[in-house]
Amino acid sequence: MRALAEFIMRGRLQATLVVVGAAVLPFMFWLSAAAGSLVLLRRGLSDALGILVWALLPALAWLYFGDPRTLLVMLGSLALAMQLRNQAPWSRVMLYSIGLGLLYTWVLLQVFGGPIAALAGEVQKALPDALSQAYQQLSDEERGQLEALLVPVLTGLLAALLQALTLLSLMLARYWQALLYNPGGFGSEFRTLRFRALPAMLLLLGMLLGPSLDVHLAALTPLCSVPLAFAGLALVHGLVAQKRIQRFWLVGLYVSLVVFMQLVYPLLAVMAVVDSLFDFRGRASRKEGAGSDGEG
């Protein structure tokens, strides 16, 4: 990773090769977005503009062939990188990503409306078997409401995936920047990610009440969960660093996140909400400070 970051920052030609080459390759658009964000974070928009314009060409080509993901993730990560360069904290950047997620939702509906509706139809057919007796106990009106939520929720899930990829691309760029110019800076920066009580509660309400307020707001459930999940990961990283616990537990966390996504992902969001109220990392640091004073 360091060698690639050094190659990107070696000059305009090298950066252009990586940004454009990754954008051309299928499923490598996240790397292009990360490389472009690195140039923007380090050199600013004016110096990086020439490179970024070239990077938009393959993204627009993918859009022409019906795939907007490269363009969305690239522009989204660059927009968030601008905020990060302007000294915005990670908590605010995470909140801004929800706005990007809403934009992604609208674009996905315009481009993939037909396939998403077809997928919702297949899910609708599987609901009686999946929910078993619970589905049979629903009234016709409740079944209609449940079926009406399928398209917004599926679109929101796809948008949330792009939202998470956008944030991961930005994090990779920030990690590269710290690796080259501020070793260890990204780790300490990420471990401080924490939402205050009000934003965390608003995110929680968006997850829980969005579908009941309006069918189209059902997309807020997955979109609002993404910042909370990242804050939950930051909480675990922070506690591991403070308690000097073996990093093996972090490996176990990410393996569990992949294998037991349906269980671990909501747990991370809940942990972030609880941490917004009790500040576990702050309490742990204060206890360590008090313990050190007592020993002295």
Side-chain angles (χ1 to χ4, degrees), residues 3-22 31-32 35-36 38-39 43 51-52 54-55 176:
L4 180 58
E6 290 176 343
F7 181 79
I8 293 170
M9 298 307 298
R10 191 173 300 168
R12 184 179 297 270
L13 176 61
Q14 291 84 351
T16 304
L17 287 174
V18 174
V19 172
V20 176
L31 180 60
S32 176
L38 172 61
V39 175
R43 298 179 180 172
I51 298 172
L52 299 177
W54 284 105
W176 279 340

Side-chain angles (χ1 to χ4, degrees), residues 272-290:
V273 173
V274 176
D275 181 58
S276 71
L277 300 174
F278 296 102
D279 189 12
F280 296 117
R281 283 160 289 186
R283 289 171 179 265
S285 62
R286 287 192 292 270
K287 286 182 179 180
E288 287 185 359

Side-chain angles (χ1 to χ4, degrees), residues 143-166:
R143 291 181 185 179
Q145 292 175 350
L146 178 61
E147 293 167 359
L149 291 173
L150 291 178
V151 170
V153 169
L154 289 174
T155 309
L157 287 172
L158 294 174
L161 178 59
L162 293 181
Q163 176 189 2
L165 283 174
T166 300

Side-chain angles (χ1 to χ4, degrees), residues 138-145:
L138 296 176
S139 64
D140 292 339
E141 181 180 356
E142 290 172 334
R143 291 181 185 179
Q145 292 175 350

